[in-house]
């Protein structure tokens, strides 16, 4: 799912939480005291300021004792005193060179200072020791985060190919046959079929400076139905200039899309816009966008229109089991008909909402659910009904990805949708179910 993407700092926040849990399983034997137990509890409960303050008060009495040095080092890192934490943990590491908890915290500290080679060394050493599953997952996630960050400073690219099968209960988004008036052809009614799909895609990025990069990406997807009448192909391309400033990101982009049905060009889109993102914290982000697009329908030119849309949204990553990620977007759009006589079919005001939840059930399994709702009010009365068309469209996406290994994954999705309208012939229900096998070239 393209929609399922983590901002680096928010992702790092979850990794830090995971790394904190590793210290519970450390194999090093430490002396106990009530004060040191209090310090460890404060660290585990993410009370960073209080933990560092207590550690500073205990330093004269306990410095040099392994248990204190460990929690003092971790508390210092969490409080932003990273160099202080590294000094303490490096001293402890010399005494216990095979302790994975110490190595993980050292690696995390190096990562925060962007000393990526030193961080990579520590995480790779942990993986050589045949660690527990939770330790292995966290070390691998840090290594991936390092690779992603280094991609900002060098050319990088990725590609994928996928194929699968599925079922579509309403290929043409038509009403049930019982809702059709006598003058409508029976072929306008809903039609169901099974399908096979194939897709390829990729992206490439080129850094222009430490705070900017050029990116281009796209895909080509084809869906072939058993009866062949509604086979469709989609081509999509997007080029963007990404600019970063502290916690803010701007994307200036151009995009194009072509959609074919049964070999004939059905729709063409050419547009561009601006997206803005701002990280309020390591776990929360707000965003906004404005987009413009020119819509062309070669086989039905009366539907040609210019579209303008605005939207705002947010994303939040929760700590705890399954690392829930919540996101939502609210948007408005307007389509202006190129032909003033076609306002009944090509001109409309749109209001939409989209919200979703993603769960990282394990390192191999991600699940998601996305709810979408959109209303459309058309610009003029539709002949021969004598009323302006009003539609309300709803859809629900339920799915997940199972990662077999670094390259192979299996993706499944169920997507029911409904369109309510004040014109009976425009109402429909549709359910799509699919399963895809995907290979990512890394």
């Amino acid at each position: 799912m393209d929609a399922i993407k983590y901002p680096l700092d928010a992702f790092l926040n979850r990794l830090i939480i995971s790394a904190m849990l590793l210290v519970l399983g450390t194999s090093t034997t430490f002396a106990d005291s009530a004060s040191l137990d209090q310090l460890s509890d404060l660290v585990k409960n993410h009370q960073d300021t209080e933990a560092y303050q207590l550690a500073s008060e205990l330093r004269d009495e306990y410095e040099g004792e392994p248990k204190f040095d460990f929690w003092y080092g971790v508390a210092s890192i969490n409080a932003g005193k990273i160099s202080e934490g590294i000094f303490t943990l490096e001293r402890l590491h010399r005494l216990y060179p095979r302790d994975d908890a110490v190595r993980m915290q050292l690696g995390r500290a190096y990562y925060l200072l962007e000393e990526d080679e030193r961080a990579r060394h520590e995480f790779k050493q942990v993986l050589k020791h045949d660690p527990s599953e939770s330790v292995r997952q966290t070390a691998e996630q840090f290594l991936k985060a390092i690779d992603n960050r280094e991609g900002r400073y060098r050319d990088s690219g990725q590609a994928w190919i996928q194929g699968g099968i599925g079922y579509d209960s309403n290929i043409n988004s038509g009403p049930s046959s019982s809702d059709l008036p006598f003058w409508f052809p029976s072929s306008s009614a809903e039609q169901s079929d099974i399908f096979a799909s194939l897709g390829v895609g990729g992206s490439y990025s080129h850094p222009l400076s430490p705070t900017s990069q050029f990116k281009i990406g796209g895909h080509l997807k084809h869906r072939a139905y058993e009866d062949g009448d509604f086979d469709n192909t989609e081509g999509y391309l997007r080029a963007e200039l990404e600019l970063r400033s502290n916690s803010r990101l701007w994307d200036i982009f151009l995009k194009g899309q072509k959609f074919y049905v049964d070999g004939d060009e059905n729709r063409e889109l050419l547009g561009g816009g601006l997206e803005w993102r701002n990280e309020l914290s390591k776990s929360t982000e707000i965003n906004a966008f404005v987009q413009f697009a020119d819509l062309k329908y070669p086989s039905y030119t009366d539907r040609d229109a210019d579209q303008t849309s605005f939207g705002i949204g947010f994303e939040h990553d929760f700590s705890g089991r399954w690392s829930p990620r919540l996101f939502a977007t609210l948007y408005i759009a307007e389509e202006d008909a190129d032909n003033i006589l076609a306002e009944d079919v090509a001109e409309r005001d749109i209001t939409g909402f989209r919200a979703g939840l993603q769960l990282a059930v394990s390192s191999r399994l991600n699940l998601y659910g996305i709810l979408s709702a959109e209303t459309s009010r058309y610009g003029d009365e539709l002949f021969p009904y004598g009323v302006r068309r009003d539609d309300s469209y709803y859809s629900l996406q339920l799915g997940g990805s199972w990662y077999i290994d670094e390259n192979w994954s299996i993706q499944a999705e169920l997507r029911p949708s409904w369109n309510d309208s004040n014109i009976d012939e425009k109402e429909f229900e549709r359910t799509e179910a699919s399963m895809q096998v995907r290979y990512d070239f890394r």
Side-chain angles (χ1 to χ4, degrees), residues 132-360:
S132 67
E133 180 67 13
S134 61
V135 174
R136 182 190 64 78
Q137 290 177 14
T138 305
E140 289 179 348
Q141 288 173 322
F142 267 110
L143 289 171
K144 288 180 180 178
I146 291 171
D147 290 340
N148 290 338
R149 181 162 65 190
E150 288 184 340
R152 297 180 186 176
Y153 307 104
R154 66 170 186 262
D155 288 4
S156 61
Q158 62 179 9
W160 54 266
I161 183 171
Q162 68 180 31
I165 57 174
Y167 171 77
D168 190 334
S169 72
N170 193 350
I171 307 167
N172 55 331
S173 299
S176 65
S177 57
S178 60
D179 293 331
L180 282 177
F182 70 89
W183 63 83
F184 267 59
S186 59
S187 59
S188 300
E190 62 182 10
Q191 301 178 42
S192 62
D193 204 351
I194 60 174
F195 64 83
S197 62
L198 180 66
V200 294
S203 62
Y204 170 80
S205 63
H206 173 69
L208 302 174
S209 74
T211 59
S212 64
Q213 63 178 327
F214 171 76
K215 301 169 70 174
I216 188 169
H219 63 249
L220 182 66
K221 296 180 179 180
H222 181 71
R223 179 182 287 193
Y225 290 94
E226 187 175 35
D227 68 9
D229 291 340
F230 290 93
D231 292 357
N232 59 71
T233 303
E234 180 204 17
Y236 177 81
L237 187 66
R238 172 173 167 139
E240 61 188 274
L241 176 63
E242 180 183 282
L243 306 172
R244 290 181 176 272
S245 175
N246 298 323
S247 61
R248 297 179 179 86
L249 181 147
W250 290 266
D251 268 340
I252 304 169
F253 65 90
L254 294 173
K255 64 179 181 179
Q257 179 197 50
K258 284 199 172 186
F259 189 73
Y260 296 82
V261 176
D262 197 22
D264 297 324
E265 187 175 354
N266 177 267
R267 182 181 67 242
E268 178 182 295
L269 179 151
L270 182 63
L274 173 68
E275 294 181 358
W276 170 81
R277 293 177 175 270
N278 183 34
E279 294 177 2
L280 300 180
S281 68
K282 290 180 178 179
S283 59
T284 304
E285 176 186 278
I286 58 174
N287 55 75
F289 66 85
V290 56
Q291 299 185 46
F292 307 94
D294 181 39
L295 302 171
K296 299 293 186 185
Y297 298 84
S299 59
Y300 188 15
T301 56
D302 280 350
R303 293 183 60 190
D304 292 353
D306 296 319
Q307 184 187 81
T308 305
S309 57
F310 306 87
I312 57 173
F314 83 95
E315 300 174 3
H316 182 76
D317 298 286
F318 295 90
S319 60
R321 187 180 183 188
W322 295 355
S323 302
R325 175 173 177 257
L326 179 66
F327 54 92
T329 301
L330 177 66
Y331 62 91
I332 58 173
E334 182 178 83
E335 291 183 2
D336 294 318
D338 289 354
N339 182 349
I340 195 172
L341 300 178
E343 293 181 353
D344 56 341
V345 294
E347 188 154 308
R348 58 177 177 155
D349 295 324
I350 303 168
T351 303
F353 176 75
R354 185 171 182 265
L357 178 67
Q358 177 191 335
L359 302 174

Side-chain angles (χ1 to χ4, degrees), residues 4 53 59 66 145 178 199 213 250 291 314 367 371 403 424:
I4 304 172
Q53 182 177 348
R59 183 170 54 192
S178 60
Q213 63 178 327
W250 290 266
Q291 299 185 46
F314 83 95
L367 300 177
L371 175 65
Y403 296 91
D424 291 344

